[in-house]
Amino acid sequence: MGSRHRRRTSRRPSSREVAPSVLLRDFQAMIDRMAAELPGHYLDGVAAIEVSRKAVPHPTRAHVYTLGECIPLNVGSDQVTSRVVLYYGSFRALAGERVDFRWREEAWETLMHEVRHHLEWKARTAALEQYDWAAEQNFARLDGQPFDPTFYRSGEKVEDGVYRVDDDVFLERIVGALPETTELVWHGTRYEVTVPQQPLPLYLVLDGVEPPPPGEAILVFQRRARLRDLFRGAPRPSGGHAGVQPAS
């Protein structure tokens, strides 16, 4: 299954002090120097090494952030190219929680990790097609067009029942019928959601989770498989927004 690769770092926060911060422009200059130190053949096919301001929190685990990402491009062509992105906002968030956070060591390890993933993509280009298809289906969802109701399963599997496609996170629930309320965990915090009674499958964009993802957090209710479903076409998903409240 194709997916974009992300490196995650998890540490418990310090209760007394935190690591010194690094300005965005200084972080960018440090990454540029590191990239210049890499052997040229490592970067063959790397279209760009970029720094993003974004912080990308883990969907369910507290104190875990995506530090870097390798994004494959030109999936349908003979020559795979990639963008490597380092998330300054994630580095800054972890530095604000950890007294032992070392910017240069973490940045170098993340950069090398993502470049290695680029080399892996080049070795297995066919595996990218499923992710590319999932991304196209997600564009259709965002544009209000018909889409496959289980497309996100061809994205990146973060953990059981949690998937990521581009900047959007999908939290899947398999149900016989919709509950009136449900609970979920986002970045270590438990929330309660009132579920609108709409046809299945149901895509609910969650409003109010903290910290928010770069894109959308979507709670997806899928009907438990039934024998008669084999003789029916895929149902058109319903959707909407739902606010979350911290669970008591």
Side-chain angles (χ1 to χ4, degrees):
M1 179 171 59
S3 68
R4 304 197 304 182
H5 289 279
R6 296 168 167 85
R7 177 179 177 270
R8 298 173 176 84
T9 300
S10 177
R11 295 292 189 276
R12 292 191 178 277
S14 166
S15 60
R16 291 177 298 178
E17 55 183 331
V18 297
S21 186
V22 171
L23 296 176
L24 175 61
R25 65 174 182 270
D26 296 331
F27 184 76
Q28 177 71 70
M30 179 171 61
I31 297 304
D32 290 343
R33 290 194 299 271
M34 290 178 178
E37 296 173 6
L38 293 174
H41 64 276
Y42 278 30
L43 301 180
D44 183 26
V46 175
I49 297 176
E50 303 172 359
V51 169
S52 169
R53 293 177 178 268
K54 292 179 181 177
V56 184
H58 189 279
T60 60
R61 299 177 187 175
H63 316 307
V64 181
Y65 291 82
T66 296
L67 296 183
E69 181 173 22
C70 179
I71 305 173
L73 308 171
N74 300 330
V75 173
S77 68
D78 294 333
Q79 177 65 38
V80 173
T81 58
S82 302
R83 289 172 52 233
V84 170
V85 182
L86 280 78
Y87 293 107
Y88 169 78
S90 292
F91 280 81
R92 186 172 180 179
L94 282 178
E97 296 184 351
R98 288 174 42 191
V99 65
D100 64 339
F101 189 83
R102 294 177 173 83
W103 283 80
R104 180 174 178 78
E105 287 82 351
E106 293 285 357
W108 177 255
E109 185 178 347
T110 301
L111 178 60
M112 290 300 296
H113 186 92
E114 303 310 333
V115 169
R116 283 196 298 269
H117 280 313
H118 166 69
L119 299 176
E120 292 173 3
W121 283 131
K122 290 176 65 176
R124 54 186 184 94
T125 56
L128 300 178
E129 294 179 2
Q130 284 185 312
Y131 189 94
D132 188 56
W133 173 80
E136 291 297 328
Q137 291 293 302
N138 198 32
F139 285 136
R141 177 187 70 85
L142 292 168
D143 289 342
Q145 300 174 356
F147 61 91
D148 187 292
T150 60
F151 74 90
Y152 53 85
R153 295 176 185 169
S154 293
E156 177 193 8
K157 184 176 181 180
V158 178
E159 58 186 45
D160 288 345
V162 181
Y163 303 85
R164 187 167 193 141
V165 179
D166 291 332
D167 287 336
D168 299 326
V169 177
F170 299 83
L171 302 97
E172 183 184 62
R173 299 288 176 85
I174 307 298
V175 298
L178 280 176
E180 293 184 358
T181 63
T182 191
E183 290 189 355
L184 59 93
V185 175
W186 178 268
H187 202 60
T189 300
R190 186 171 297 277
Y191 292 98
E192 186 176 87
V193 183
T194 299
V195 181
Q197 300 302 295
Q198 298 183 29
L200 291 169
L202 172 60
Y203 277 64
L204 280 182
V205 178
L206 301 175
D207 298 324
V209 293
E210 291 292 339
E216 294 179 331
I218 304 104
L219 183 59
V220 183
F221 290 94
Q222 297 282 1
R223 187 183 300 279
R224 188 173 293 113
R226 301 169 297 181
L227 180 61
R228 63 176 178 266
D229 292 336
L230 296 173
F231 305 99
R232 297 179 176 179
R236 185 183 180 95
S238 61
H241 287 251
V244 303
Q245 297 293 331
S248 57

